[in-house]
Amino acid sequence: MFKEFMKWAIGFPKRAYTVMEVRTGFATGLPILSSGLFGAYLVGELKVIPLLLFIICGYSFNIVANVANEIRAYLKNEEDESTFTEHLGSEGLVRGDATLLDACLTLLGMIGVGGLSGLLLAWLLQSWLLFTLGCLGLLAAITYSLGPKPYILYPIGEFVSGLFVGGLSSLVSSWIQTGSVTINTLSFALISMLMTVFLMSTNNTGDYEKDLGVRKTLPHIIGFRNSILIIIPEFILLLLAWTVVCLTSFHWWVFLFGLGIFALQWYWRWYRQYYKIEAVYPEMGREFGPRPLLLIYHFHGWMSIICLVLFFLNKGIVNWI
């Protein structure tokens, strides 16, 4: 019995990985990092431990939403071989690489990690507002796919995900560093929100046929082609927000650097091909789903580096708390 338990325990991390979709956790973790460093750059002071705790909390809650979605897909038989993305870090429950017990334990574990880091952050900063927002974030992560009325079933999924995963997490991260909400931090948060909307929209559009009769997403309301075309005005709004951020906070070269990222990751590697799609096809989600995630990686990754470099060039002060 003990040997069997040890074998199960040793193999658990590998099985847990197959239901976590670790890569999309960075869709929250990286915006929190870049927004926190942006806020530190603005005020000339970096609070290291609060930033690290919030990154852990946000990343964990994103994984909670992912695992909850895996559990729902398994219980409702929403996935099969024709819909697999062939990514080893997801769909493990449906493929049989992990069990329902593995998924539930992973869910509880990530709730624990995110919850404890969030509670510690709220305690350190003596903030009931952070505690309240953390509870709402956890509730949003769980009810994304689980519960009597999960909002993944409705056309509001893209907006709610964008609001919590990108927008609020980004805004709160900069607020923790600056102690205030300003036009530049709001604009930076809007960029994060819109990038998350791109990610959710692309996945929902790729699942257009699969979701028929199961859930009603925004593409079902506005139509397949319109769900692709709506990205254009959303991107124009993103460019306006980026212009505001740079006019209020950065030198001209940072603005041009950001435009270069958008040109490469938004247009060249994603939208120029995505725009041409006239009808859904089986491999669409697999081919285009990850591309907005790469935009998130590159923009927030580079912004983190730029803000950190500018922070030290301006002789910013580093504090643990």
Side-chain angles (χ1 to χ4, degrees):
M1 178 73 90
F2 179 74
K3 288 183 178 180
E4 291 179 357
F5 173 76
M6 288 302 298
K7 183 179 179 181
W8 175 88
I10 292 172
F12 177 76
K14 184 177 181 180
R15 297 194 304 275
Y17 170 77
T18 68
V19 299
M20 293 170 67
E21 187 128 20
V22 171
R23 61 180 181 176
T24 62
F26 293 103
T28 302
L30 280 174
I32 290 175
L33 174 62
S34 67
S35 300
L37 292 175
F38 177 56
Y41 155 72
L42 291 176
V43 297
E45 180 185 2
L46 173 60
K47 301 170 186 174
V48 177
I49 292 179
L51 177 58
L52 292 177
L53 286 173
F54 194 41
I55 290 172
I56 294 171
C57 179
Y59 183 92
S60 300
F61 284 177
N62 189 295
I63 300 299
V64 167
N66 293 343
V67 179
N69 194 33
E70 293 273 333
I71 292 174
R72 175 183 173 80
Y74 174 77
L75 295 177
K76 299 293 184 179
N77 295 315
E78 293 180 356
E79 301 280 358
D80 56 43
E81 292 183 1
S82 65
T83 62
F84 287 167
T85 61
E86 298 181 2
H87 175 55
L88 295 179
S90 63
E91 300 160 347
L93 193 56
V94 179
R95 286 197 311 267
D97 296 339
T99 65
L100 184 59
L101 176 61
D102 293 325
C104 290
L105 289 176
T106 303
L107 181 71
L108 292 174
M110 297 311 296
I111 289 174
V113 171
L116 287 174
S117 59
L119 285 173
L120 182 55
L121 175 61
W123 177 75
L124 281 175
L125 300 181
Q126 296 293 294
S127 174
W128 282 103
L129 176 60
L130 276 178
F131 174 79
T132 303
L133 290 174
C135 291
L136 288 175
L138 178 58
L139 182 64
I142 296 173
T143 57
Y144 170 66
S145 300
L146 298 178
K149 294 289 183 180
Y151 59 89
I152 194 176
L153 299 179
Y154 306 102
I156 61 170
E158 294 175 14
F159 172 78
V160 175
S161 296
L163 180 65
F164 280 96
V165 174
L168 274 178
S169 61
S170 177
L171 186 63
V172 170
S173 184
S174 59
W175 171 74
I176 288 173
Q177 299 294 325
T178 64
S180 62
V181 175
T182 57
I183 184 65
N184 41 9
T185 58
L186 275 170
S187 298
F188 199 92
L190 179 59
I191 293 171
S192 301
M193 177 177 175
L194 288 169
M195 287 185 178
T196 304
V197 170
F198 292 163
L199 178 64
M200 299 302 298
S201 171
T202 305
N203 281 283
N204 284 340
T205 303
D207 292 339
Y208 186 89
E209 294 289 348
K210 187 189 78 171
D211 288 341
L212 284 174
V214 177
R215 65 188 72 164
K216 199 165 190 178
T217 59
L218 186 61
H220 296 141
I221 300 295
I222 65 176
F224 177 82
R225 274 296 293 170
N226 287 333
S227 70
I228 293 176
L229 296 176
I230 199 174
I231 298 293
I232 296 175
E234 291 172 347
F235 182 69
I236 292 173
L237 181 59
L238 183 148
L239 285 178
L240 291 174
W242 178 237
T243 302
V244 171
V245 168
C246 291
L247 286 175
T248 57
S249 311
F250 289 126
H251 296 292
W252 61 269
W253 66 267
V254 180
F255 177 71
L256 294 180
F257 192 90
L259 291 183
I261 294 174
F262 299 146
L264 180 61
Q265 299 297 333
W266 183 84
Y267 176 73
W268 188 257
R269 293 185 175 173
W270 173 38
Y271 199 72
R272 71 184 180 95
Q273 296 172 309
Y274 189 63
Y275 172 80
K276 299 174 183 177
I277 301 174
E278 295 291 339
V280 68
Y281 58 94
E283 297 82 14
M284 181 178 170
R286 188 180 307 145
E287 290 180 7
F288 288 93
R291 299 193 189 190
L293 188 59
L294 294 176
L295 172 64
I296 293 172
Y297 283 0
H298 284 81
F299 177 79
H300 289 291
W302 279 109
M303 285 307 302
S304 298
I305 294 171
I306 289 172
C307 288
L308 191 60
V309 169
L310 292 176
F311 172 80
F312 283 115
L313 287 176
N314 293 339
K315 300 179 179 179
I317 300 171
V318 178
N319 291 319
W320 287 110
I321 299 176

